[in-house]
Amino acid sequence: MDETTAEIVLFDGFDELDAIGPYEVLENGADAGASIGTRLVTLEETALVTASHGLRVEPDGVLGDPDLLVVPGGGWTTEGGVRAVVEDGRLPEAVTARHADGATVASVCTGAMILADAGLLEGRPATSHRVAIDDLEAYAGSVIDDRVVDDGDVLTAGGVTAGIDLALWLLEREFGADIAEAVETEMEHERRGTVFG
């Protein structure tokens, strides 16, 4: 079986847990037997990325052509973070291109606004952090009040800790319930809410 490639794209001002939560889940999934490799990436080569609470992360490289692209949120209601990324336009363009090439794209929290700007949520159900729900309504086919929304090749998750549940759902969907349950047990995490889709 070919290994599934997953990339979590970082940018200055991303929310730490939006990226690191799914990263740990997917890495634990690989340890539990899922055929998946996960990298932290950026659009451009850089030594460090600074997250919204000051954590500095050294990425593994630049965005490639993953099977799964995870887009974290952070900073929609403030300067920087997602707001700056949307205004800049390069990451939404890259997300559109990866999706057009066949990648499954998933967002955590206000990362949904990057997917919205990329044109991926038009006519689709979606969710986000509560601070972005009103803005999301202008882009999504319908806003769903569930923790994770699975629309096949585009998935969205609610705020912050919902990214852990999103990654667990992806492990279950792609590699089976046994692997997802093993990771839940390892991480001492209990999923909550529901998955729409």
Side-chain angles (χ1 to χ4, degrees):
M1 176 187 231
D2 289 340
E3 183 173 80
T4 298
T5 57
E7 294 185 349
I8 301 171
V9 64
L10 307 181
F11 48 86
D12 283 331
F14 77 91
D15 184 88
E16 285 87 342
L17 195 55
D18 287 5
I20 305 306
Y23 178 83
E24 184 167 341
V25 169
L26 296 176
E27 283 291 296
N28 281 325
D31 291 343
S35 181
I36 189 167
T38 306
R39 296 184 340 128
L40 297 172
V41 300
T42 53
L43 271 183
E44 300 172 339
E45 194 168 325
T46 183
L48 294 172
V49 181
T50 303
S52 62
H53 294 87
L55 178 71
R56 297 178 69 176
V57 179
E58 180 180 358
D60 297 311
V62 296
L63 180 62
D65 294 308
D67 300 308
L68 169 64
L69 174 59
V70 179
V71 180
W76 181 246
T77 59
T78 60
E79 290 183 21
V82 170
R83 178 74 63 183
V85 166
V86 168
E87 289 172 359
D88 175 72
R90 291 179 299 149
L91 182 54
E93 288 174 9
V95 169
T96 301
R98 295 322 183 276
H99 182 258
D101 286 343
T104 295
V105 178
S107 67
V108 180
C109 196
T110 58
M113 298 311 298
I114 296 171
L115 272 57
D117 194 65
L120 299 188
L121 301 183
E122 187 175 340
R124 293 181 182 262
T127 194
S128 183
H129 189 285
R130 60 181 173 76
V131 301
I133 290 296
D134 289 344
D135 292 327
L136 185 63
E137 286 178 342
Y139 293 93
S142 58
V143 173
I144 305 297
D145 188 24
D146 282 324
R147 195 151 169 87
V148 175
V149 175
D150 182 346
D151 196 41
D153 59 347
V154 175
L155 297 92
T156 52
V160 194
T161 59
I164 294 170
D165 291 341
L166 168 73
L168 285 165
W169 169 247
L170 284 164
L171 285 178
E172 181 174 326
R173 186 181 96 166
E174 300 300 320
F175 303 104
D178 288 349
I179 286 179
E181 289 167 10
V183 172
E184 265 187 283
T185 300
E186 172 67 24
M187 294 180 68
E188 296 190 5
H189 175 77
E190 292 181 23
R191 289 185 262 185
R192 65 185 181 96
T194 56
V195 174
F196 175 89

